[in-house]
Amino acid sequence: VKGFVTLVGAGPGDPDLLTVKAVGALAEADLVLYDALVDPAILGLAPRARRFFVGKRRGRHAMPQEAIHQWLVRAARAGERVVRLKAGDPFVFGRGGEEVLALEAAGVAHEVIPGISSAIAGPGAIGVPVTHRGVSSGFLVLSAVPDEGWRSVLPALSKAKLTVVVLMGLDRREVITSTLIGAGWSGEHPTAIVAGAHTARAFGWIGALHALAGVAVPADLPGLLVLGEVVRLGRANVVSLLDEAAIGIGGAA
Ligand SMILES: C[S@@+](CC[C@H](N)C(=O)[O-])C[C@H]1O[C@@H](n2cnc3c(N)ncnc32)[C@H](O)[C@@H]1O
């Protein structure tokens, strides 16, 4: 048997949102190294595999990236079919690019199976399309960490007809809001929070930028921010738009 590594995108949560190809790779895997935010039900799709968590947990150190690379290479060289399972899409803030480079450098055969990214499916879960004819001509996906990244682009965008999706930013809401308002963004800029999208505990809020930091979001859910006129198209338009009404979506929010 020739060893092989498959980077697999697990999608935003719901196992039904895996690709058919991802399900096939899991079924055949000998070893699965998985990250945080991967639903346990998805691990059940790899019944033959030894499975190890190598992700980051709140307050605990993640396994060093270099150690993950070595593990992938070693297992593939030993002839194993390895699945490297990541939330969302492996190439959206998932360090998938670094792992591909390491596999290439080591001469290990590999493949990347894309996944549905929370950057698109998250807003979609509350009925917010990231683009909309006449409203938004594109979307920008940013990470809230490190600060230099979003700080160098976001304040300059206030008048652009763009949707901005900020990942890893729930606990940076205060500084993001004050920076944007300080840069001339309107406090009324349509804004949404989506957390735990496509899981049983999905949470959504639609409101105005100035109210963003004050929203009580369930602390243990991964979440993202959406900024832009498209937010007005969200499901909260059946409630009342920009009135800071928190809406529960899916499951018990
Ligand atoms: C390390 S990044 C990985 C992103 C992932 N590769 C993707 O394409 O969705 C983790 C961040 O993704 C976002 N995220 C992941 N799953 C989510 C979900 N179900 N609902 C909302 N945001 C989610 C959150 O912003 C979280 O902090």
Side-chain angles (χ1 to χ4, degrees):
V1 192
K2 273 196 93 187
F4 195 84
V5 176
T6 311
L7 271 66
V8 175
D14 181 351
D16 283 348
L17 292 177
L18 282 169
T19 61
V20 173
K21 203 164 180 179
V23 172
L26 285 165
E28 292 185 349
D30 301 308
L31 173 67
V32 174
L33 303 186
Y34 64 98
D35 276 352
L37 312 181
V38 172
D39 191 295
I42 292 177
L43 298 174
L45 299 172
R48 306 177 49 241
R50 287 142 37 241
R51 303 167 228 164
F52 297 94
F53 176 75
V54 296
K56 210 189 292 183
R57 274 201 183 116
R58 229 169 261 260
R60 281 212 237 150
H61 284 297
M63 174 174 283
Q65 192 63 33
E66 188 56 34
I68 296 174
H69 296 171
Q70 284 167 9
W71 198 349
L72 294 174
V73 168
R74 224 183 309 121
R77 285 188 178 150
E80 295 199 282
R81 276 166 299 192
V82 186
V83 163
R84 176 73 179 101
L85 188 61
K86 294 167 176 294
D89 185 275
F91 282 169
V92 178
F93 300 122
R95 306 191 75 167
E98 291 165 58
E99 292 172 12
V100 165
L101 288 176
L103 294 168
E104 275 170 7
V108 169
H110 57 276
E111 182 184 15
V112 180
I113 300 178
I116 295 176
S117 178
S118 65
I120 298 171
I126 58 164
V128 173
V130 288
T131 68
H132 193 78
R133 207 173 142 92
V135 177
S136 161
S137 53
F139 61 102
L140 176 68
V141 181
L142 291 169
S143 169
V145 282
D147 271 344
E148 308 86 77
W150 64 267
R151 270 186 202 279
S152 64
V153 281
L154 209 42
L157 286 175
S158 54
K159 296 207 172 60
K161 271 192 167 183
L162 274 188
T163 305
V164 177
V165 180
V166 182
L167 301 192
M168 293 171 273
L170 282 190
D171 53 7
R172 305 294 289 146
R173 280 178 283 159
E174 206 168 313
V175 62
I176 291 171
T177 303
S178 60
T179 304
L180 293 181
I181 291 178
W185 285 48
S186 164
E188 299 304 318
H189 199 80
T191 302
I193 300 173
V194 190
H198 298 286
T199 73
R201 297 180 56 218
F203 170 92
W205 172 87
I206 284 181
L209 178 61
H210 68 80
L212 179 65
V215 182
V217 185
D220 54 338
L221 294 179
L224 52 83
L225 315 176
V226 195
L227 308 164
E229 290 295 328
V230 287
V231 164
R232 295 182 190 277
L233 299 162
R235 193 156 306 150
N237 62 14
V238 298
V239 191
S240 138
L241 195 63
L242 301 181
D243 64 357
E244 292 135 49
I247 53 162
I249 55 168

